[in-house]
Amino acid sequence: MAVDQEYPKITGYAVHDVEDHPPPPPRSDTSNSIISDHQIVSQHEQISLVRGLSQRHIQMIAIAGAIGTGLFLGLGGSIATGGPLGALLGYIFVGLVVCSIQYSLGEVSALLPVTGSFVRHAEVLVDPALAFAIGWNVVYGCFISVPSEISASVVLIQYWTDINAAVWVTILLVVSVVVAISFIGVYGEIEFVFAILKILLVVFVVILGLVIDLGGVPGKPRLGFHYWKTPGPFVEYIASGSWGKFLGFWAVMTNAVYSFAGVESLAMAAAETKNPRHNIPKACKRVFARVSIFYVAAVLVVGMLVSSSDPRLGNDSGTAATSPFVIAASDAGIKAIPSVVNAVCLTSAWSASNQSMLSGTRTLFGLAIKGHAPKIFLKTTSWGVPYMCVLLQIAFALLAYMCVSNEALTVFYWFVDLTAAGTLVSWISIALNHIRLLQALKAQEISPNELPWHNRITRYSSWFALVTCVIFLLTGGFTVFTKGNWDPASFVSSYLDIPLVLFAYLGYKLIRGTSIVPLDQVPIRQALQEAESDPENVPIAKESIWQKINILWG
């Protein structure tokens, strides 16, 4: 049964005004909101959505977002481009950026646990025009990612069978629709299972890799760090000498960014998360350990198992055949690994599709709450799913049938390429939101320690993440500017998203006349009062020793 009724206009604040810290008056540039209440977490969210994601769901959604096909299939390309040491350093550096972004996201989300996450944060902390531009950029990217991931899933399935691709597209679409329209807890359970599978596979292939490397397979010699010596720790990329090795290292970093795409989605459904002011920061904090354990260990082991000059690393089949783990296992005579890796990569691709479905629909719902999208997208089912948002995304998902035709697939991936820089745009927005929050705290003489969650390092790490992500964004297509490597398609995929976002931002400012929110008008005191009056805002029970050790999913 759909919930289509109109909700009354809210005329008061979420909590009683207090004399010392009265909430700021509503800004004129946000008066166009469809639900014009003055609450940070709108009453529409509280009534229409259901808190169905528990702590373990959020924890595992964070893992599912951090581990994907980029880890299982993409590491080979990084080793070939940067060498074993270049790839290791590149992933460590990007891992630090990701951890900085997650800390920024966790700190702001704990104060503002709203549907749409950093998109809605930009509305409150920076400028409604930025929320509009970033929000629609996220929606477009997620809507196109769903058919893209389904197409990738079909390629993985065809590793085993030659049945017509349209059959598999139909099956995957139907299952995706069922998950998307189901209670949010169903999505959480599916991601929980997928994340467990990913963890088990990573642990398995790392241990297997060490066994192979140390000579544990009968008849195979001990490798050690042989490939770090021959052909060497770094690879010359595009240029020669030290400059070429640096370019190889830099190319690894720009590629690694997209391996981590999706880690920011864990806060998209904050309004559907139980006790979000504590559970979301907790999930964000553990990203550092996961990045360190999974990616660093995997890159290190792969660099020990496969030579950076191995021509098989350039395989672009998109199946398990391109995985460096599969290459190493095949060389060791272990035949079952390709199918195991391919199966988990299939779950990763479909998991990414589900994650894009969640992020896209919740961002669109959040845009509709603030009047940046048509009112029809506010309609929800009786179990709290914004079904009109889901229906629109399903319509875009039908583009997956383009994979049946090679010519159509080429055109389709042009659309996908347009979103290539979207991840960095989102990360820049997250870092900027947090910086603005800290600046507003200082301007209003409010101690950061009053926030629901705060870490002193974030005052530095957010600036580090912001500057680094801007550099990554501007240099993402650096290869096209080198001699003899100009490629219009690569240039478009690397840079077109920048003018699109700027056009949306400036266009909205011009039409709606919005302005950057003055620091002294950011409603921090109101948000703190809402946090204090939130009945779910209670500290999580103290962890046992086992839970503290269990940094993977506890």
Side-chain angles (χ1 to χ4, degrees):
M1 177 181 175
V3 180
D4 296 343
Q5 70 266 28
E6 293 293 320
Y7 291 96
K9 189 173 182 179
I10 309 301
T11 55
Y13 287 89
V15 294
H16 296 296
D17 297 350
V18 292
E19 255 180 50
D20 294 338
H21 304 285
R27 300 189 308 276
S28 59
D29 53 58
T30 58
S31 61
N32 61 317
S33 297
I34 288 177
I35 296 182
S36 186
D37 66 328
H38 305 311
Q39 292 173 288
I40 302 297
V41 182
S42 74
Q43 189 177 26
H44 190 92
E45 291 173 271
Q46 298 177 41
I47 294 175
S48 301
L49 303 178
V50 178
R51 294 191 185 275
L53 295 177
S54 66
Q55 179 187 150
R56 67 184 178 88
H57 293 143
I58 291 297
Q59 294 282 341
M60 298 306 269
I61 287 172
I63 293 182
I67 305 174
T69 54
L71 175 63
F72 300 119
L73 302 183
L75 286 188
S78 296
I79 296 293
T81 301
L85 181 56
L88 182 63
L89 294 176
Y91 272 87
I92 289 175
F93 189 84
V94 175
L96 292 175
V97 174
V98 171
C99 292
S100 300
I101 291 295
Q102 289 297 87
Y103 267 64
S104 299
L105 179 63
E107 197 158 305
V108 180
S109 296
L111 180 66
L112 309 171
V114 293
T115 300
S117 184
F118 58 90
V119 174
R120 294 271 299 284
H121 298 161
E123 174 100 18
V124 177
L125 298 169
V126 187
D127 188 342
L130 181 63
F132 174 84
I134 299 295
W136 279 106
N137 190 60
V138 171
V139 168
Y140 169 72
C142 290
F143 278 25
I144 294 298
S145 292
V146 171
S148 170
E149 295 294 349
I150 290 177
S151 299
S153 299
V154 171
V155 172
L156 291 165
I157 291 173
Q158 290 179 328
Y159 179 79
W160 296 301
T161 178
D162 293 329
I163 295 177
N164 191 291
V167 175
W168 299 115
V169 170
T170 302
I171 293 173
L172 291 170
L173 278 176
V174 170
V175 179
S176 296
V177 169
V178 171
V179 173
I181 206 68
S182 298
F183 174 59
I184 186 67
V186 174
Y187 166 80
E189 292 296 344
I190 290 174
E191 289 301 293
F192 182 86
V193 172
F194 283 170
I196 290 290
L197 291 175
K198 294 176 184 179
I199 290 172
L200 292 176
L201 180 61
V202 172
V203 172
F204 172 71
V205 295
V206 168
I207 294 175
L208 176 65
L210 289 174
V211 170
I212 295 173
D213 182 75
L214 297 175
V217 178
K220 300 296 178 182
R222 182 181 183 277
L223 294 173
F225 283 89
H226 171 74
Y227 293 125
W228 284 55
K229 301 175 183 177
T230 306
F234 292 97
V235 171
E236 296 179 351
Y237 181 67
I238 297 178
S240 58
S242 299
W243 179 241
K245 293 177 181 178
F246 173 78
L247 291 181
F249 161 72
W250 195 261
V252 167
M253 288 200 294
T254 55
N255 291 333
V257 165
Y258 303 108
S259 295
F260 291 107
V263 294
E264 69 280 0
S265 64
L266 68 93
M268 280 296 183
E272 297 167 84
T273 302
K274 298 174 183 177
N275 196 1
R277 301 181 195 277
H278 290 275
N279 282 329
I280 290 178
K282 185 175 182 179
C284 290
K285 283 193 297 182
R286 296 196 171 187
V287 168
F288 179 77
R290 289 160 185 156
V291 167
S292 301
I293 291 174
F294 296 132
Y295 276 91
V296 174
V299 175
L300 178 62
V301 169
V302 167
M304 295 160 63
L305 292 175
V306 184
S307 170
S308 58
S309 60
D310 193 317
R312 291 173 293 180
L313 294 178
N315 188 331
D316 60 355
S317 66
T319 66
T322 192
S323 171
F325 298 110
V326 170
I327 293 173
S330 298
D331 289 345
I334 304 173
K335 298 180 180 179
I337 296 300
S339 288
V340 174
V341 172
N342 203 65
V344 176
C345 285
L346 176 59
T347 66
S348 296
W350 191 58
S351 170
S353 172
N354 288 338
Q355 208 161 52
S356 293
M357 188 83 77
L358 180 79
S359 297
T361 54
R362 272 46 178 190
T363 301
L364 182 57
F365 183 82
L367 288 171
I369 284 177
K370 303 308 296 183
H372 302 320
K375 184 177 180 180
I376 192 174
F377 295 117
L378 289 173
K379 294 184 177 182
T380 59
T381 64
S382 57
W383 55 90
V385 174
Y387 67 91
M388 292 305 299
C389 298
V390 172
L391 288 176
L392 180 63
Q393 185 143 21
I394 290 171
F396 275 84
L398 296 176
L399 291 172
Y401 283 104
M402 296 178 75
C403 73
V404 177
S405 165
N406 290 332
E407 293 78 11
L409 189 62
T410 300
V411 175
F412 168 62
Y413 276 108
W414 268 88
F415 288 106
V416 176
D417 287 343
L418 298 182
T419 67
T423 296
L424 284 169
V425 171
S426 295
W427 290 2
I428 289 170
S429 175
I430 291 170
L432 180 61
N433 289 338
H434 183 259
I435 290 170
R436 289 279 298 176
L437 173 62
L438 294 183
Q439 291 176 339
L441 286 169
K442 185 176 181 181
Q444 298 179 32
E445 299 182 347
I446 300 174
S447 171
N449 294 326
E450 292 190 45
L451 295 173
W453 181 68
H454 174 66
N455 191 302
R456 286 178 296 177
I457 196 175
T458 56
R459 69 186 67 179
Y460 310 108
S461 62
S462 291
W463 277 106
F464 162 71
L466 177 64
V467 173
T468 305
C469 286
V470 170
I471 294 174
F472 282 160
L473 184 63
L474 296 178
T475 61
F478 75 90
T479 56
V480 301
F481 300 112
T482 58
K483 187 175 181 180
N485 290 300
W486 171 254
D487 179 36
S490 297
F491 176 80
V492 168
S493 67
S494 299
Y495 296 110
L496 185 60
D497 203 48
I498 299 175
L500 288 179
V501 171
L502 290 176
F503 177 78
Y505 173 69
L506 296 174
Y508 191 89
K509 284 186 72 70
L510 181 64
I511 295 172
R512 295 296 181 91
T514 68
S515 58
I516 295 177
V517 182
L519 293 175
D520 60 353
Q521 291 186 26
V522 174
I524 297 177
R525 185 58 62 184
Q526 178 194 347
L528 290 172
Q529 291 171 340
E530 288 190 22
E532 291 172 3
S533 64
D534 182 0
E536 285 201 20
N537 183 19
V538 292
I540 298 173
K542 196 171 183 180
E543 295 179 327
S544 65
I545 295 177
W546 161 246
Q547 288 173 320
K548 290 180 179 179
I549 296 174
N550 178 18
I551 58 177
L552 298 184
W553 61 79

